[in-house]
Amino acid sequence: EVQLVESGGGLVQPGGSLRLSCAASGFTFSSYWMHWARQAPGKGLVWVSRINNDGSSTSYADSVKGRFTISRDNAKNTLYLQMNSLRADDTAVYYCAREGSGIAPPFDPWGQGTLVTVSS
Amino acid sequence: SYELTQPPSVSVSPGQTASITCSGDKLGNKYACWYQQKPGQSPVLLIYQDIKRPSGIPERFSGSNSGNTATLTISGTQAMDEADYYCQAWDSSTVVFGGGTKLTVL
């Protein structure tokens, strides 16, 4: 069974840092591009970041560029999101998702999410 | 930046057909996909490349995309279909989601 399990969320003060992890299983992790997306409480989905299969190429939403870093360890089948200079508006459930194949690939599956709360 | 617009809410009676729209500039020239999210759960892929259904997704879910509008159609809507629905498209190498539509089955 293909599975993605996020961890690392929690309460952090404004200006603080947090590293999220996403453990993958049930598929060849090193063959897939991966993404992070987030959802603020009661709000919609927002794409955050993307990384290619070997980690050599990344992209970010403007709202997190320069503050967040996506990375991966294919030996550990794990995706990461390092979040620095956190702000209150970064409060959200963060999901990792696998990018499908083909043209305009969809996200499938998604992890269960991990909640990040930025507050003093 | 590219934007996708969805109606905040749609209501439908059980057994009837629900249509949820997603609008964006020349969206028909891109591929759209759709996700379903029930309360407290992660999004689930319903439709990709405008019209394709992943295995396990019921046939009552279908999609179309033309001009500036992609549409998710749910035929014979069931109570279990009450959820939030999000469209998504690619703009160059970035991903764009619509704001989401809450489907109420009443």
Side-chain angles (χ1 to χ4, degrees):
Chain A
E1 179 195 3
V2 175
Q3 196 170 14
L4 299 171
V5 179
E6 300 94 335
S7 61
L11 175 63
V12 61
Q13 292 188 339
S17 298
L18 211 56
R19 188 177 82 156
L20 306 183
S21 300
C22 168
S25 59
F27 65 100
T28 305
F29 180 69
S30 60
S31 296
Y32 288 86
W33 296 46
M34 298 292 295
H35 294 253
W36 288 98
R38 67 185 182 184
Q39 186 171 35
K43 302 297 184 181
L45 299 170
V46 176
W47 174 76
V48 171
S49 184
R50 177 198 197 194
I51 188 167
N52 71 342
N53 62 312
D54 66 7
S56 62
S57 176
T58 60
S59 58
Y60 299 90
D62 287 344
S63 59
V64 306
K65 202 172 293 183
R67 300 188 299 124
F68 290 12
T69 302
I70 189 171
S71 63
R72 64 192 297 161
D73 186 335
N74 285 343
K76 295 182 177 179
N77 291 339
T78 303
L79 175 72
Y80 301 101
L81 186 67
Q82 177 67 44
M83 304 185 296
N84 298 330
S85 303
L86 283 161
R87 312 184 302 222
D89 62 0
D90 294 318
T91 294
V93 173
Y94 284 75
Y95 296 100
C96 63
R98 186 182 73 173
E99 179 181 305
S101 57
I103 301 172
F107 292 3
D108 184 39
W110 297 59
Q112 89 288 350
T114 187
L115 176 62
V116 173
T117 303
V118 184
S119 174
S120 54
Chain B
S1 61
Y2 195 77
E3 294 184 358
L4 294 174
T5 301
Q6 299 180 235
S9 62
V10 168
S11 297
V12 63
S13 299
Q16 298 305 301
T17 297
S19 295
I20 299 174
T21 58
C22 173
S23 299
D25 185 47
K26 298 182 177 65
L27 180 57
N29 291 343
K30 306 177 186 292
Y31 279 117
C33 41
W34 292 91
Y35 301 90
Q36 178 193 65
Q37 186 180 34
K38 295 183 178 180
Q41 297 184 19
S42 308
V44 172
L45 178 66
L46 287 180
I47 298 289
Y48 66 102
Q49 290 181 7
D50 296 339
I51 62 172
K52 297 180 180 180
R53 271 181 293 106
S55 61
I57 300 301
E59 291 184 6
R60 65 179 182 276
F61 292 95
S62 63
S64 64
N65 186 13
S66 179
N68 294 321
T69 304
T71 303
L72 173 70
T73 302
I74 309 172
S75 304
T77 306
Q78 301 180 9
M80 68 170 65
D81 298 331
E82 188 161 286
D84 293 327
Y85 292 85
Y86 294 90
C87 61
Q88 177 246 307
W90 286 83
D91 180 44
S92 298
S93 60
T94 61
V95 175
V96 181
F97 290 100
T101 298
K102 180 175 182 58
L103 178 69
T104 301
V105 182
L106 40 68

